[in-house]
Amino acid sequence: MFKKKLGYFLTNTMFLGLTCLVLSACSSKLAEDHPQGVWLGKMEVEQGTCPTDRMAALRIDKKMVLFSPDNGALILRGDFDKKQKPRHLVAQLHRVDMDHKPYDLIFEGKAQNENIIGTYGTPDCRAHITFYRPNHYGLSDAIAH
């Protein structure tokens, strides 16, 4: 009797393990399929002067996009629609300069394979950014899905 129960236990455990292995292998890591989570990237300046001291950060939640050009105090906000295909991310921040003239800081991005490719623009800066999922955000990334 004990051997029979042990046999069922081992069989069920192996079946569960193989099922988990197959499901994890089949799960998609494409940014188009699962963009929610935290993304980091380094700015590559195309024109002007951009903040390149620190990494740029992008966070995509169920309904919101947050972008910080130098992982600092400036945060651009935008909406996110999960149903939109292809994914197009837009975040912006309206500012006023010292001469009281309004200007915008804009981030636009799209999913490409396992990354998010974006462009950041201000009156003084234009930069290209390739975002990737950092490895140390594994648990928060799993919770975001």
Side-chain angles (χ1 to χ4, degrees):
M1 173 101 169
F2 180 74
K3 286 184 179 182
K4 198 173 196 180
K5 284 186 178 181
L6 183 62
Y8 284 131
F9 175 75
L10 291 176
T11 303
N12 288 339
T13 304
M14 286 179 51
F15 179 72
L16 181 63
L18 288 174
T19 303
C20 290
L21 185 64
V22 168
L23 288 175
S24 67
C26 293
S27 68
S28 175
K29 290 189 174 194
L30 296 178
E32 180 68 30
D33 297 334
H34 302 288
Q36 287 91 357
V38 176
W39 300 80
L40 295 177
K42 189 78 173 159
M43 278 201 222
E44 298 171 17
V45 179
E46 295 176 6
Q47 180 181 6
T49 306
C50 301
T52 58
D53 297 339
R54 294 183 277 188
M55 302 287 277
L58 178 67
R59 178 165 183 98
I60 303 171
D61 289 330
K62 292 181 180 180
K63 295 184 179 183
M64 187 179 353
V65 175
L66 300 173
F67 170 75
S68 179
D70 63 348
N71 207 5
L74 287 177
I75 297 177
L76 288 68
R77 297 176 189 272
D79 295 328
F80 174 66
D81 183 7
K82 291 192 309 188
K83 297 176 184 174
Q84 180 184 16
K85 297 274 183 167
R87 308 261 191 228
H88 184 75
L89 310 170
V90 178
Q92 55 187 327
L93 178 65
H94 305 289
R95 304 284 300 211
V96 177
D97 67 8
M98 293 175 59
D99 296 327
H100 304 287
K101 295 179 184 174
Y103 68 96
D104 290 332
L105 291 86
I106 298 175
F107 167 78
E108 286 189 71
K110 64 178 179 174
Q112 185 177 28
N113 297 328
E114 293 182 8
N115 299 321
I116 293 180
I117 308 299
T119 303
Y120 171 64
T122 70
D124 301 327
C125 160
R126 180 171 173 84
H128 175 80
I129 310 164
T130 301
F131 288 101
Y132 62 92
R133 288 187 197 271
N135 291 332
H136 63 279
Y137 280 106
L139 181 59
S140 66
D141 183 44
I143 292 170
H145 297 303

